[in-house]
Amino acid sequence: MLHWPARAAEGLPRRPSPSSPARLLVGSYVALMAAGTLLLSLPAAVREPPRLSLVDALFTATSALCVTGLTVVDTGSRLSLFGQLVVLSLIQVGGLGIMTASTTAGVLLGRRITLRGRLMVAEELHQDYLSGLVRLTRMVAAVTLAIELAGAWILWLAWSGLLGWGRAGYFALFHAVSAFNNAGFDIVGGYRSLTPYQHAPEVLLPIAALVILGGLSFAVLSDVARERRWGRLTLDSKLVLSTTAMLLVLGTGSEERRVGKECRSRWSPYH
């Protein structure tokens, strides 16, 4: 009878430990969200008074960290350079993953990654094993930064003649990071997004390529780079690539038909 409660409890689900990787990961996101809110609510985060309200700062920080692209303030004209850099940092960390970013920074600084840190990275990357996890983290960070920098360089070539070298470099970097992480933020200003460049393929095509590459998982990109043949790809890679291609073709075709119909109706003598 003394052991009955313990035996009865064996069939019940275990309550997660307060220090479990899942809870620590959620806590890290909440802490970073709070830090972003605090920074964006500072007077230095806006070009001119008044500063952002706490609700607007919280919404902007949450949207940037979770890469949703929803905004309640104009990032390009309302936020200062400091505020834009806060948003950019949240986008990068949110797209890369908090633990992936912190682990990469720790490795670069020569710090030893603890077991708890490895468990949190495994939770974030949905991995069931710990061996080779730090190496995988470095690979994810390296591929992400390489693609973003390549996209930024192409965008800089397109914008340098219009904006000047320095401003074009900043524009290129911000939009490359935002596009690859599918964040939807821009600093064009006036809530215009990229509409001023709707007839500039040298801007739209690199950004579209970054959006597509960012939408594919690291597993798919590494599988394509490693195998290089359709027949050798994993089933997951084939499904992701074929579905992405189908949606792009259907979406482009439907938009072309809509624009064509609109043009015909506009120039029709009976309109």
Side-chain angles (χ1 to χ4, degrees):
M1 293 296 295
L2 293 177
H3 299 286
W4 179 82
R7 290 182 179 179
E10 290 179 359
L12 298 177
R14 292 185 177 181
R15 182 175 299 177
S17 169
S19 60
S20 66
R23 287 193 174 185
L24 291 174
L25 188 60
V26 173
S28 300
Y29 273 90
V30 172
L32 189 56
M33 205 176 299
T37 302
L38 177 62
L39 293 174
L40 289 175
S41 63
L42 296 175
V46 295
R47 293 182 183 271
E48 56 186 20
R51 62 182 183 180
L52 296 185
S53 67
L54 193 61
V55 174
D56 288 346
L58 174 61
F59 188 93
T60 304
T62 303
S63 180
L65 184 61
C66 300
V67 289
T68 61
L70 299 175
T71 58
V72 291
V73 296
D74 188 5
T75 311
S77 58
R78 183 78 171 92
L79 298 184
S80 64
L81 176 61
F82 172 75
Q84 292 173 4
L85 291 177
V86 171
V87 170
L88 182 63
S89 301
L90 291 171
I91 291 172
Q92 184 67 89
V93 174
L96 190 60
I98 289 179
M99 293 314 303
T100 303
S102 61
T103 301
T104 303
V107 170
L108 292 176
L109 293 174
R111 296 179 179 176
R112 182 176 177 274
I113 308 303
T114 63
L115 177 60
R116 177 179 293 183
R118 293 172 188 265
L119 290 172
M120 293 177 67
V121 173
E123 185 78 21
E124 187 174 65
L125 296 179
H126 307 290
Q127 299 294 321
D128 298 325
Y129 53 88
L130 297 181
S131 60
L133 204 57
V134 175
R135 177 174 169 272
L136 175 62
T137 302
R138 285 187 303 209
M139 285 293 297
V140 171
V143 170
T144 299
L145 295 178
I147 294 177
E148 288 175 350
L149 290 176
W153 180 71
I154 296 174
L155 289 173
W156 177 80
L157 293 177
W159 274 326
S160 58
L162 298 173
L163 305 175
W165 288 17
R167 190 158 181 250
Y170 175 59
F171 258 58
L173 180 62
F174 189 100
H175 290 96
V177 173
S178 180
F180 183 74
N181 291 286
N182 289 203
F185 282 83
D186 72 275
I187 52 174
V188 175
Y191 290 105
R192 294 176 297 169
S193 187
L194 296 176
T195 53
Y197 306 101
Q198 58 183 311
H199 300 299
E202 66 275 12
V203 173
L204 298 181
L205 291 179
I207 289 181
L210 287 168
V211 171
I212 295 171
L213 290 175
L216 302 175
S217 66
F218 173 77
V220 174
L221 294 177
S222 61
D223 191 27
V224 172
R226 182 176 59 252
E227 301 300 340
R228 300 182 181 180
R229 291 185 181 180
W230 180 262
R232 296 181 179 179
L233 298 179
T234 63
L235 178 61
D236 178 68
S237 298
K238 291 180 180 179
L239 286 174
V240 170
L241 292 173
S242 58
T243 303
T244 301
M246 180 184 66
L247 292 175
L248 287 173
V249 171
L250 292 177
T252 304
S254 62
E255 182 65 15
E256 285 288 339
R257 287 194 297 271
R258 186 192 68 80
V259 173
K261 185 177 179 180
E262 182 179 338
C263 291
R264 287 193 298 270
S265 63
R266 181 180 301 175
W267 292 102
S268 174
Y270 303 103
H271 185 264

